[in-house]
Structures are given as C-alpha cells and as structure tokens.
Amino acid sequence: MRAARAQAKQRGEQVREKREAKRHGLRSGARSDGRDPVPLGAALNRLLTERGWESSAAVGGVMGRWPQIVGPDIAAHCHPSSYDEAAAVLTVQCDSTAWATQLRWLARQLVARLNHELGHGTVKTIKVLGPAAPARGYGRLRAPGSKGPGDTWG
C-alpha cells in the first residue's frame, strides 16, 4: 500500500510539473525571450557570428557579385577561382595573358574595392593566374632544352 501511494504521489508530481511547464515555460509572454520568432536574416547573421563564418560568407558573396564589384568588362574575362582565408589571398583566373597583365596592374585598386565591400583586411593580395596551357605533345623533332609549346605560352 505504501508503494502504491508513493507511485501515485510521484505521478501527481509529474502531472503538476507538466502543468507548471505549460503555464510558465511553453508560452511566450509579453516580454521577449530566446524562444520568440526572429526574421530569417537575423537568425542567419547570428549563426554566422556564433560559428565564425563571417569572412567566408563575405568572400562567397564576392564570388556571386563579381561582375558588380569589378565591372562587366573585367568580369567577362576574369573570374575568382579560390580564396585562402589563412593568408587572405584571392586567386583570380583570366582567359588570356593580356587580361592577366591588366588585372595585375589593377590589383591594388581591386584589393581596396574588395576590402571596402567585405571589411578591412579580408583580402590582402590577389593572385592572378593566366590561361591554362594546352597539353604538351612531344613530337619527333624537338630543339634541345625546349619545353615544347610551353616556351611561348602564357
């Protein structure tokens, strides 16, 4: 009989705790707390801040907004290929050596513009790559010391 009373008392306490939780813990009152709904943008910003992903997300945004940042002429011939967060280096691939040279000349201005968009110090240098060289086909006749078509490419 004592065991039955103890179990009943325990069940009664559990029911009372659930009622209290419903009354006090499961609803949001007039004052704001951590359970209130927040806009999606604010929730994403909080997540990025908590995880330390701000610079990665900002650089990812540059990849999508590249034409607006550098202009349509440069964007038609050059595109960002990678970003090294530790060294703060943005690698840009160009479709010709002439555009690679042009982008090297504009690198300082481009770094300043990117840092203005992303925050100071996000990009320190821009590594400009020219076009990928064609596959080297070694023929029967070759000059001694020659590297094949790579001698005149890029």
Side-chain angles (χ1 to χ4, degrees), residues 136-148:
R136 295 182 182 185
Y138 294 107
R140 291 180 322 147
L141 302 174
R142 209 172 104 209
S146 171
K147 296 179 182 174

Side-chain angles (χ1 to χ4, degrees), residues 2-154:
R2 285 184 188 161
R5 284 183 188 160
Q7 287 178 354
K9 186 176 181 180
Q10 187 178 16
R11 272 188 257 133
E13 288 175 7
Q14 288 175 350
V15 169
R16 191 172 344 109
E17 287 174 2
K18 284 184 183 178
R19 244 186 241 138
E20 289 292 320
K22 275 187 179 179
R23 200 176 308 150
H24 298 293
L26 296 178
R27 290 189 214 157
S28 179
R31 296 185 191 356
S32 64
D33 60 3
R35 297 169 297 139
D36 287 340
V38 294
L40 182 62
L44 286 175
N45 287 337
R46 186 173 64 195
L47 179 68
L48 291 173
T49 303
E50 288 172 358
R51 303 284 171 115
W53 295 339
E54 293 104 347
S55 63
S56 300
V59 172
V62 165
M63 304 286 185
R65 296 180 312 161
W66 182 252
Q68 289 86 15
I69 293 173
V70 298
D73 293 335
I74 295 174
H77 299 283
C78 306
H79 63 276
S81 59
S82 66
Y83 175 71
D84 181 14
E85 191 171 350
V89 175
L90 179 68
T91 304
V92 178
Q93 182 81 39
C94 297
D95 61 1
S96 71
T97 54
W99 277 103
T101 303
Q102 182 71 23
L103 201 65
R104 284 186 192 105
W105 285 342
L106 296 172
R108 280 191 185 190
Q109 296 168 356
L110 193 56
V111 167
R113 189 178 302 168
L114 288 168
N115 283 329
H116 177 72
E117 292 280 328
L118 303 173
H120 182 67
T122 306
V123 177
K124 291 183 181 174
T125 56
I126 294 178
K127 181 179 177 182
V128 180
L129 302 177
R136 295 182 182 185
Y138 294 107
R140 291 180 322 147
L141 302 174
R142 209 172 104 209
S146 171
K147 296 179 182 174
D151 281 348
T152 58
W153 186 267

